[in-house]
Amino acid sequence: MDKQQSRVFSLFFQGSLVKQIIIGLVAGILLAWLAPDIAKMMGVLGSLFISALKAVAPILVWVLVMASIANHRKGQKTSIRPILILYLLATFFAALTAVVASFLFPSVLTLAVNESKLVPPENIVQVINGLLVNVVVNPVDALINSNYIGILAWSIGLGLVLRHAKETTKSVIQDFADGVTNLVRGVIRLAPFGIFGLVSSTIATTGFEVLAGYVHVLFVLIGCMLFVALVVNPIIVFWKMRSNPYPLVFACLRESGVTAFFTRSSAANIPVNMAMCRRMNLDEDTYTLSIPLGANINMGGAAITITILTLATVNTLGMPVDIPTALLLSLVAAVCACGASGVAGGSLLLIPLACNMFGISNDIAMQVVAVGVMIGVLQDSAETALNSSTDVLFTAATCIAEDNRLTNNPLTEKNNG
């Protein structure tokens, strides 16, 4: 009996997480179809899973960035700068893709008056001011409220200071980071049960009828994200690697994108991306910093959401948009996306800011936010999958390109000889 139990546990914890998630997804759909009353009660599994992710993700970002900077030795070369450039370029090109798609496939929304307690930013100055305030917020408050900008700022600051600490202190920090990573990895392994509960309760309660009125805008949103994932990002990777990008692209979508689709949190998907980087033997000094940073600033999916829903609102109101204005919207959406919250639906609150470019009132803009919430079951999942898979994609592409450059460098070969 003990051997059988050990075999079952080994199969669960070492088996393919993607396959287990698919099984949980199919099982949830079947339960909602065959026994909807029971399926509604399974929602507690999904709630517990999401709550666990939200609880541990801020601590994970905090310790990973702090440990990575604190343990970085002087003279060690990393590829952070080119990775950050790829993050920013990809986010802008994602917004530009969304602009083109909105012109080719214009969407119209059915807007109605809706009350909301959410308070969106009114202008770009307010967004910048909010970012600066979040940078210097109390670190404990930042952890409690999942303020990832504040968490990132404090972890970078502490990491820089702790670079001068004793080796034993650095070792303790690294052990703590490894422990939290293993804890999150354990939570991620429970994803099949969480997905089972979320899918079964959602379908049993509402079905997909809520999406019926917004099929077109949802099609444009997800279509853009697929285009960026399968066309735009591969072009960027090819430019960086000078080799066929698709094996790496598909691997990142399969191993990172699938789990991010269901967890709907780039921060919670950090251990998955880190494990993938480790399996590919990438430079540890690089990916231990680039992956947590990417979870906070690499937001191509968010840029797509902000752009398409804003232009759908403009189209609904019959407002003309010229090319210079559309380009400016792409830039604003890219900048705003980098400041989007790291939790599910964080990009939606920045839609009113983009709408403000066209003089659209916050009352109307918040109705668009409500539309985003209704289609968020698929939109936000696809957005997170694109964001998180791109983190590991650009990290891997940069590291591989750097390795190839060093290998083909005659001076390097001479020195090695």
Side-chain angles (χ1 to χ4, degrees), residues 9 80 107 128 135 189 193 200-202 240 254 306 310 323 349 361 364 387:
F9 280 109
I80 295 299
S107 302
I128 295 174
V135 166
R189 294 301 309 192
F193 298 103
S200 59
S201 62
T202 299
K240 189 67 180 178
R254 182 178 64 252
I306 294 169
T310 298
I323 294 179
L349 283 180
S361 69
I364 296 177
N387 292 341

Side-chain angles (χ1 to χ4, degrees), residues 54 58 137-148 151 341 343:
K54 288 181 178 179
V137 75
N138 183 289
V140 176
D141 182 72
L143 287 169
I144 293 175
N145 295 299
S146 298
N147 171 12
Y148 286 98
I151 292 171
S341 173
V343 299

Side-chain angles (χ1 to χ4, degrees), residues 11-25:
L11 182 64
F12 175 76
F13 285 104
Q14 298 179 7
S16 172
L17 181 61
V18 173
K19 293 180 180 178
Q20 293 173 3
I21 287 176
I22 293 175
I23 292 173
L25 177 64

